[in-house]
Amino acid sequence: MMNAMRAVPVRSGRGTAVVAYHAGSSQPACLPLRPGAGLVMVTDINAGAMVTWGRRRYGAYGMAGRRLRVVLGTGESYKGFLYLRLILRAMLRAGLGRDAVVLSLGGGVVGDVAGLAAACFMRGVSIVQHPTTLLACVDSSMGGKVGINTGAFKNAVGCIHPPRYMEAQMGRVAALPLRQWRAGLAEAAKIAAGLDRDFYCWLAIHAHDVARRAAPAIASMVTRCAELKSYVTALDDVEAGARACLNLGHTIGHAVESGMSYMHWLHGEAVSLGIVLMAKASHRLGLLPRADAAQIVRMLASLRLPVRLPLGVDAARLADALSADKKNRGESVCVVLLRGIGDCVALEVPRDAMLWAWGGAVHRLT
Ligand SMILES: NC(=O)c1ccc[n+]([C@@H]2O[C@H](COP(=O)([O-])OP(=O)(O)OC[C@H]3O[C@@H](n4cnc5c(N)ncnc54)[C@H](O)[C@@H]3O)[C@@H](O)[C@H]2O)c1
């Protein structure tokens, strides 16, 4: 596995050419901008504090015409209608047009809501992603899924709007608080566990290095995540097949998050528990060897990620979430299960069988 950051082309089925520069490059992103095009930066108070909105830092956007900045607060509650509307109204009031570019600077929350604003504004303008959290670098800023939550319904409103350009500056990301860092590792572990056994083994061996943010290990991890995400999104533009594998652990993860009103666990932490439950359920359904399920739990635990149900979230509530998932059809539930490490599959499973498998898995975690 290479240990230097490099550019990774990220394709989507729409043929949109996206280039992810996972380099600590001092060069800012340079999406070719039409001279005079409007530019809106959407950021949050933490990520926004890192840049000066000036020609020197954003030289590549120096030819932009009207520029504005929307600064959100932090947390999942900013990924909602209110803030989507705020961004769109700011763009309209500033007189931006169809050539406007939305530039997201922040983590997955900012990226998702800014991306949806870009998708909606004048029926779609370009979005550029500058992820500043590890989670956003390894996952959310690529692939084009954008959206907002509505009440307890996580990501219920959204679409697929791939970025025109993405650049992660790892120097900034390395300054993340420890818990946020670990939450990002959960999405990297999800990609490895679901898609690539070799990468999974590499991650298990280098768990200590990525946890302590050793630069060569981080470079390899982020690059490999981008390559795998590119591979999947190129196969499946609209989440009709291969892309569903990226949802490993997410149905349960979302239920944990909303069960705690998005207040106690971070998204990546909830996904970690979701992966554990799906690994155990996969074993009970006869798909995944017990040793592989146990290895996945050990790896997540070694990254100091949650592998047990939190207090206050009861199993019945999570079972309801599994039954009510928007991807279900009739008496079947659609879930992403594991057939082996690095080999996941999206399946429709009879609801009763799934609840049985899953109920046993939950029972062992409480
Ligand atoms: N669109 C997708 O494909 C996709 C995939 C996975 C997750 N997501 C979404 O991503 C969101 C979670 O993203 P997240 O974990 O990045 O959370 P986040 O955007 O809330 O960021 C986490 C925290 O880190 C702060 N922060 C950002 N950059 C920082 C930096 N460099 N240094 C210090 N602090 C910094 C933020 O202000 C925030 O407080 C969830 O809403 C989830 O649903 C989307």
Side-chain angles (χ1 to χ4, degrees):
M1 192 167 288
M2 77 298 294
N3 64 6
M5 296 280 184
R6 63 183 177 83
V8 180
V10 179
R11 287 171 283 274
S12 89
R14 292 178 196 182
T16 316
V18 178
V19 179
Y21 281 104
H22 291 291
S25 155
S26 56
Q27 288 303 312
C30 67
L31 172 79
L33 211 62
R34 260 190 54 188
L39 185 66
V40 55
M41 177 199 275
V42 182
T43 186
D44 72 22
I45 46 175
N46 291 331
M50 296 177 200
V51 293
T52 47
W53 184 229
R55 270 174 194 276
R56 199 170 60 81
R57 171 63 188 87
Y58 275 87
Y61 295 118
M63 60 178 60
R66 199 70 196 261
R67 288 191 265 175
L68 63 143
R69 175 150 75 160
V70 177
V71 184
L72 305 177
T74 64
E76 225 20 70
S77 58
Y78 286 87
K79 205 174 119 175
F81 271 119
L82 193 61
Y83 300 97
L84 173 67
R85 196 175 77 143
L86 187 130
I87 298 165
L88 291 171
R89 285 180 69 164
M91 292 172 76
L92 287 169
R93 284 191 176 150
L96 304 194
R98 279 218 52 122
D99 57 356
V101 172
V102 178
L103 191 159
S104 156
L105 180 83
V109 164
V110 165
D112 280 5
V113 67
L116 186 57
C120 297
F121 188 75
M122 308 250 165
R123 298 197 191 92
V125 297
S126 297
I127 171 86
V128 176
Q129 295 276 1
H130 285 260
T132 64
T133 64
L134 182 61
L135 183 144
C137 288
V138 298
D139 194 1
S140 66
S141 65
M142 296 172 283
K145 274 169 77 168
V146 295
I148 54 171
N149 310 321
T150 57
F153 299 99
K154 171 97 178 164
N155 296 332
V157 175
C159 63
I160 295 187
H161 189 62
R164 288 278 307 282
Y165 191 90
M166 184 277 221
E167 181 193 290
Q169 287 184 322
M170 297 310 295
R172 287 204 184 116
V173 179
L176 269 183
L178 182 58
R179 214 177 137 205
Q180 297 286 355
W181 184 264
R182 289 181 182 145
L185 291 177
E187 295 282 10
K190 170 203 77 177
I191 291 172
L195 293 170
D196 184 349
R197 190 177 185 100
D198 288 348
F199 179 40
Y200 180 91
C201 293
W202 179 91
L203 198 53
I205 292 168
H206 291 86
H208 179 65
D209 294 332
V210 294
R212 72 180 177 85
R213 314 181 196 199
I218 297 308
S220 294
M221 181 181 73
V222 173
T223 306
R224 188 64 188 141
C225 286
E227 287 168 348
L228 289 166
K229 188 133 188 188
S230 171
Y231 170 73
V232 169
T233 53
L235 287 178
D236 177 13
D237 192 18
V238 290
E239 208 172 13
R243 200 188 261 252
C245 289
L246 297 169
N247 291 331
L248 175 65
H250 276 61
T251 302
I252 298 305
H254 290 165
V256 170
E257 279 184 279
S258 71
M260 294 195 289
S261 310
Y262 303 106
M263 289 185 42
H264 302 295
W265 274 18
L266 302 175
H267 176 75
E269 294 171 331
V271 166
S272 168
L273 181 68
I275 298 170
V276 168
L277 283 169
M278 282 308 164
K280 287 181 176 272
S282 300
H283 169 61
R284 276 175 70 90
L285 289 168
L287 290 173
L288 183 70
R290 181 191 293 272
D292 283 359
Q295 159 55 228
I296 288 173
V297 178
R298 268 203 307 280
M299 207 257 266
L300 291 167
S302 76
L303 294 172
R304 303 271 189 280
L305 284 160
V307 293
R308 299 200 163 274
L309 269 195
L311 288 174
V313 173
D314 63 70
R317 186 169 190 159
L318 296 189
D320 287 347
L322 196 66
S323 298
D325 193 73
K326 56 184 182 277
K327 295 181 283 302
N328 293 342
R329 285 186 203 106
E331 280 310 296
S332 298
V333 291
C334 289
V335 281
V336 181
L337 294 166
L338 287 158
R339 292 183 292 209
I341 289 178
D343 180 14
C344 69
V345 59
L347 284 178
E348 281 188 35
V349 181
R351 186 185 311 263
D352 291 347
M354 191 59 215
L355 289 178
W356 168 82
W358 190 74
V362 170
H363 185 65
R364 283 154 205 254
L365 290 187
T366 45

